[in-house]
Amino acid sequence: MPLQAKLQSVDSISHVETGVLHSPFHSRTSALNINQQWSVWNGFASAIYYGDALLEYFATRNACAVFDVSPMRKYRFQGVEVEAMLNRMVTRDVTAQKVDTVAYNVWCTDAGRVVDDGTLFRLANDEFMLCCADPCLDWFLLSAVGFSQVEITDISDAVASLALQGPTSCALLKAMGFDGIDHCKPFQIMRFPWNGGDIMISRTGYTGDLGYELWLDPGLAEPLWDALFEQGRVFGIQPLGDESLDMARLEAGFIAPDVDFHGALHTVELHHDHSPFELGLGWIVNFKKTHFTGRAALEREKASGNYRRLVKLDIEGNKPAENSVLYADSHCRREIGYVTSAMWSPVVKANIAYGLIEAKYADGEIWAEVYHQKELRWYRKVARCLKVSKPFWSPERAKQTPPPDC
Amino acid sequence: MSEHYDAIIIGGGHNGLTCAAYLAKAGRSVLVLEAAAQLGGLGATREFAPGYRASVAHTLPQLGRQLVADLDLEGHGFRLANASLPTIALGQDGRHISIGDDSLLGVSAQDEAAYGNYRALLQRFAAALNPFWHKCPPMVGSRGVKDMATLGQFGWKLRTLGRRDMREIMRMMFLPAQDLMDEYFENPLLKAALSWDANVGSKLAPRSPNNAVLALLYRMSGDIGGDLPLPAGGVGGLIEALAASAGKHGAELRIDSAVSRVLLEDRRACGVELANGDLVSASTVVSNADPKTSFFKLLGARHLDVQFTHRINRLRTDGLVAKLHLALDGLPTITGLERPDGRMILAESMQAIENAFDRAKYGDFATQLPMEVVIPTLHDPALAPEGKHVLSALVQYAPCRVSGGWAGRREAFLEAVLNSLVRYAPAIREQVVAIELLTPEDLEAQFRVTGGHWHHAEFAIDTWWMNRPTYGASQYRTPVEGFYLCGAGAHPGGGIMGAAGANAARAILKET
Ligand SMILES: Cc1cc2nc3c(=O)[nH]c(=O)nc-3n(C[C@H](O)[C@H](O)[C@H](O)COP(=O)(O)OP(=O)(O)OC[C@H]3O[C@@H](n4cnc5c(N)ncnc54)[C@H](O)[C@@H]3O)c2cc1C
């Protein structure tokens, strides 16, 4: 059972010259990125916003928008023991996952702390694709120790991917000739011949709205982008950058790595990592299935009830509680946690946030100490927070098959 | 599954048999399933040539009186053929050193005086450590009363050595053997022989740091005779007594019964499946197999956590000791030695041992191979036809995976072994009737021990006491409820002493 790291040869690391790598859509995204505002995601240039973040955000909620997810890390798992291997790694029951479906998953250390989260695509009985925001190959190789005939390949660069999200997304795909896409259920996968190649479409996304992710050969990337924008004009299509996606995911109740949580392998201090229960992911921890890594620790944690809670907060006022410390009282005497993400939500018309709260204060009052600026002058306000159990934004159309208006 | 037992023990090595005997003695119903056609594992006495018998392990420096008494092994036929073999450091010039329990012949007065001090000190240290080999290790990070008590006792036991000795043992424990020898002695032959027990069986040579002196003290843990007892009938004599004792207490022992996997119900061990497809159920399943075999082959990684599995996978299990059995049609003559009736160490200096180690480190073997040679038939003639003899030798160092593969290099290795012997016993080749050479790879295949490793997994500081074989499985219990370890891979380690088996039985009796 050898562990091996496959390192790239020095010659193949082209971004040493350019500073960043280019996704297969770069010729198109860079043309649209009129402000040249880029962040770097796994070494790739990723647009922060193209023209105006709010305009893009409203497109995902009222029309449709396209986000280039190609920098996401994608891994292929193949082999006869692959189901057993993955089932023992992630917290959900992989044996119950049907071919051509997708399942959101987390995987934990032996101590039940989250290593990372991602989406698991079952492509065949013995073939899966696992997508996560950050590289995780070392953990996957470790998780394959003791299993024979499991082949894990980093296919990140071999697959281009786009997220098309928003209420008109289905209608646009239909108009482009993806017949039957309206019958694709949430978390289902469909495949289509397109332009001499194949495109895999999954009804998944990170915005909480109706939406799809398209997976294709990098050679098809530019023609697909062009076709989307040509046909998409009447569907209100816009490109989507990091900023607007971050707004949408927060409204949708999705957590972000390195924002709302740190992977257990990347933290130094004790308790700076998280269990799935702390992150509100208890619903994907399946104790009815066979053994999985971290199970014993998670069973103990659940039974104790002694874990922090990442809660959704509706905060009074309209000043985003960014970086706020949370208290059990309006006098800020008892500190009980802190805000991980916060924003004013334009669609919900509410001041929303996630807060990580100490276990024993989870059911009591929560107050946020909010700092905000007016013309460079700082103001402080203590705002009452109400816990919300459902995602802030979850329109019916996101669940309907066929979706409305297509 | 018609049959049910309180406990099934996978493997009838001496530790499996010891565990079985203690459990049965406490009233548990016990079934031992041994894959081989014979009980005993590395301790089995086998006929390696018609009329000639030997066991892979040949001497009993670690066996304790307690075990012999608890299981009434003498009542079941256990005997020593010699209560204490002297160690003879063979010189190529025929000038040898003889190291007895209370005597040292063939060295300078200075070395002789130093030896007295050295031996007294080591014996005090070995005695201080001894109780810990026979106790369940505490759990890392536990604040449980028992665990704290064990830790406390360890500290206290060392304290009773007195302040000077305590500081000294803390200094010495992790020294390379060479540092210890150089500190006390001048004679290269003496130093080579005395360093032998610190390194044999581990991936260590005289210059290796980590735990050589600890290993040496571990090798001094027995008290059934003098320094180096030789059992009658080979170690198989002990095995037969253990089996008889276990049987008398009601344990059932089956040979030719390889277990293919441990069965689980609700993630709890509930029985085993045999290679022939038979199923047997049990409340507790105990493995005498090495940790890698136990966790990977018998249990399966899918029932264990990722990081735990990784630690088991990273255990160092490549053995470095080969075993040679020669059937001889007469007693060999060793130059300058009246009677080859001791344990002979064939190594002219620590440097010679180090040189052989260096080759093995890189997957090769030396032309001059240091070894430990015993001729058991001098004390126990029944092991060979009348007037004939058996030569039993531990040969270092033989890499578990030799570069080029053992199939193509066996002959060359055997030649190197025989040539190394001939330097001391020039006429021995003519006396050889039959040869059995067991490389670590052969030991792995024939005795089902991963890597053919003496200790089932390296005996070293990182795999010692509360970390043996690794945390999460160091109290004999494992992450899988109802599944226990009782072999050399568990605390305290390898060597014929039955401590792992006895400790495991105590842990099981307390918990189930
Ligand atoms: C070359 C060599 C020389 C040695 N010399 C000495 C010496 O002189 N003195 C000394 O004290 N120590 C010596 N040792 C060390 C000692 O032999 C071992 O540490 C000791 O035998 C370990 O005992 P055990 O009962 O734990 O395991 P083992 O003796 O290895 O027994 C394990 C048993 O489990 C069985 N088994 C494994 N898998 C299965 C399965 N799936 N189903 C059923 N059965 C199974 C095996 O067949 C075997 O019988 C030597 C070791 C080696 C390698």
Side-chain angles (χ1 to χ4, degrees), chain A residues 249-324:
Chain A
R249 70 91 194 167
L250 177 48
E251 291 174 340
F254 294 129
I255 53 172
D258 301 327
V259 178
D260 301 304
F261 75 96
H262 262 310
L265 306 180
H266 301 295
T267 59
V268 176
E269 308 269 332
L270 203 62
H271 307 313
H272 281 203
D273 55 9
H274 304 272
S275 79
F277 294 117
E278 290 183 339
L279 298 176
L281 300 178
W283 64 279
I284 54 170
V285 178
N286 186 340
F287 288 132
K288 291 202 194 86
K289 73 172 203 175
T290 53
H291 182 78
F292 61 90
T293 298
R295 175 182 188 122
L298 289 172
E299 273 175 339
R300 278 195 302 275
E301 185 181 89
K302 186 170 186 200
S304 78
N306 189 19
Y307 49 88
R308 295 170 297 179
R309 310 281 198 282
L310 186 72
V311 294
K312 299 182 191 72
L313 299 174
D314 182 349
I315 302 175
E316 101 191 331
N318 61 3
K319 303 289 182 262
E322 271 165 19
N323 311 320
S324 288

Side-chain angles (χ1 to χ4, degrees), chain B residues 11 13-15 34-35 41-42 57-59 259 288 449 454 456 488 494-496:
Chain B
H14 86 288
N15 274 315
E34 168 56 51
L42 294 167
H58 56 199
T59 57
V259 170
N288 180 201
V449 175
W454 179 295
H456 285 193
I496 305 291

Side-chain angles (χ1 to χ4, degrees), chain B residues 107-119:
Chain B
V107 297
S108 67
Q110 242 169 336
D111 272 352
E112 204 183 326
Y115 183 67
N117 295 334
Y118 166 87
R119 196 172 138 79

